Amino acid sequence: MTSQTRTAITTGDGVRIAHRFDGDENKPVLLLSNSIGTDLHMWDGQVPALTEHFRLLRYDARGHGASDVPSGPYSLDRLGRDVVELLDALDLRRVHVLGLSLGGIVAQWLGIHVPERVDRLVLSNTAAYLGPAHQWDRPIAELLEAPDMQATADRFLHNWFPPRMLRGDNEVVEGFRRTLLATRREGVAGSWAAVRDYDLRRTVTLIHNPTLVIAGEHDTVTSVDHGKQLAATVPGARFTVLPTVHMANVEGQAEFLDAVVAFLTERS
């Protein structure tokens, strides 16, 4: 397997977006798009299995990881254009896309606005709408006023993982905690604004790429109903439920990989 250390592009609005490749250059490219509050390492556990089939392109969304952290609200259009500019800079005409949570929202945007750049689409633990918008205003304000990311990190981890994984010193969970604590508040707040302001309930009907929707049975962030509604709205989408909370790729790794690989490698 070949891999590449993290490098970066600069977007049209001057923001540096960090990214890295893993895997054989001759295999189809699979773009992985992350949850809010994480960086490209949220997929580390899945890299060995996925690189058997794909060349992986991972990136840190603006406001996260090694990418720049502009202040102020972000928009879903801007997060989506970041990906398009990344693909353009890397001369990638068409890729598979797998997004989880906010990454799944960005993946929906790609399927709506640049379907010619997408082969197959996997939308995991995500939703077409997470309103009403006003529910996000107080968390954004409280986060920007907080002394650090501690309270937000605790909240996210309890929303992401089951109690059994939060007990003791789980190495994987602690890795996510370290990432959260190292993430600048402006990046999370800016991304929350994108979640606050988006609504794709009507436009996801424009997605015609082959699509798999994955939901977590115990997910309290993006519920099974969110996933079911999304799959019912995207024409021809398939739907599967895993016995997980929000981070299905981590908690239910084997089942998650089975579903993703089977769908993405299926012959048309």
Side-chain angles (χ1 to χ4, degrees), residues 160-212:
W160 289 351
F161 299 108
R164 62 177 172 78
M165 291 184 69
L166 296 172
R167 296 189 200 106
D169 188 20
N170 184 298
E171 183 180 335
V172 173
V173 172
E174 290 309 306
F176 278 87
R177 184 188 302 277
R178 288 190 296 271
T179 299
L180 280 163
L181 294 177
T183 302
R184 286 177 49 190
R185 289 172 293 166
E186 294 85 354
V188 174
S191 302
W192 258 346
V195 173
R196 177 193 64 197
D197 298 336
Y198 94 106
D199 184 349
L200 303 179
R201 286 175 292 180
R202 294 180 66 182
T203 49
V204 288
T205 60
L206 300 173
I207 296 176
H208 290 286
N209 308 83
T211 300
L212 170 66

Side-chain angles (χ1 to χ4, degrees), residues 69-247:
V69 186
S71 58
Y74 306 162
S75 69
L76 177 56
D77 281 351
R78 183 62 259 179
L79 297 178
R81 289 199 303 274
D82 287 348
V83 176
V84 175
E85 291 189 43
L86 176 63
L87 297 178
D88 287 346
L90 298 174
D91 197 26
L92 293 171
R93 188 183 66 84
R94 191 174 175 92
V95 298
H96 295 304
V97 178
L98 163 57
L100 188 147
S101 196
L102 176 57
I105 296 170
V106 173
Q108 292 172 61
W109 186 96
L110 294 171
I112 294 164
H113 293 279
V114 287
E116 72 280 0
R117 309 301 294 271
V118 178
D119 192 346
R120 286 178 172 253
L121 198 57
V122 180
L123 308 174
S124 181
N125 301 81
T126 192
Y129 175 67
L130 282 172
H134 64 79
Q135 71 178 325
W136 300 99
D137 290 334
R138 175 170 287 184
I140 290 170
E142 289 177 347
L143 174 59
L144 291 174
E145 293 169 2
D148 54 38
M149 280 285 291
Q150 187 67 56
T152 298
D154 289 343
R155 173 183 175 182
F156 276 26
L157 292 173
H158 280 86
N159 284 336
W160 289 351
F161 299 108
R164 62 177 172 78
M165 291 184 69
L166 296 172
R167 296 189 200 106
D169 188 20
N170 184 298
E171 183 180 335
V172 173
V173 172
E174 290 309 306
F176 278 87
R177 184 188 302 277
R178 288 190 296 271
T179 299
L180 280 163
L181 294 177
T183 302
R184 286 177 49 190
R185 289 172 293 166
E186 294 85 354
V188 174
S191 302
W192 258 346
V195 173
R196 177 193 64 197
D197 298 336
Y198 94 106
D199 184 349
L200 303 179
R201 286 175 292 180
R202 294 180 66 182
T203 49
V204 288
T205 60
L206 300 173
I207 296 176
H208 290 286
N209 308 83
T211 300
L212 170 66
V213 177
I214 298 174
E217 181 181 358
H218 310 293
D219 193 342
T220 58
V221 180
T222 53
S223 68
V224 170
D225 283 342
H226 283 123
K228 192 178 297 182
Q229 291 162 9
L230 178 58
T233 309
V234 175
R238 299 183 199 176
F239 181 56
T240 189
V241 179
L242 300 181
T244 67
V245 187
H246 192 58
M247 285 291 181

Side-chain angles (χ1 to χ4, degrees), residues 6 16 18 34 37-41 59-69 179 182-184:
R6 195 161 4 185
R16 186 175 176 274
N34 316 330
T38 69
D39 60 14
L40 57 79
H41 292 294
Y59 74 101
D60 291 337
R62 65 174 55 212
H64 294 78
S67 292
D68 287 345
V69 186
T179 299
T183 302
R184 286 177 49 190

Side-chain angles (χ1 to χ4, degrees), residues 45-54 257 261:
Q46 295 80 61
V47 168
L50 289 175
T51 49
E52 291 180 15
H53 306 275
F54 310 103
L257 288 168
V261 171

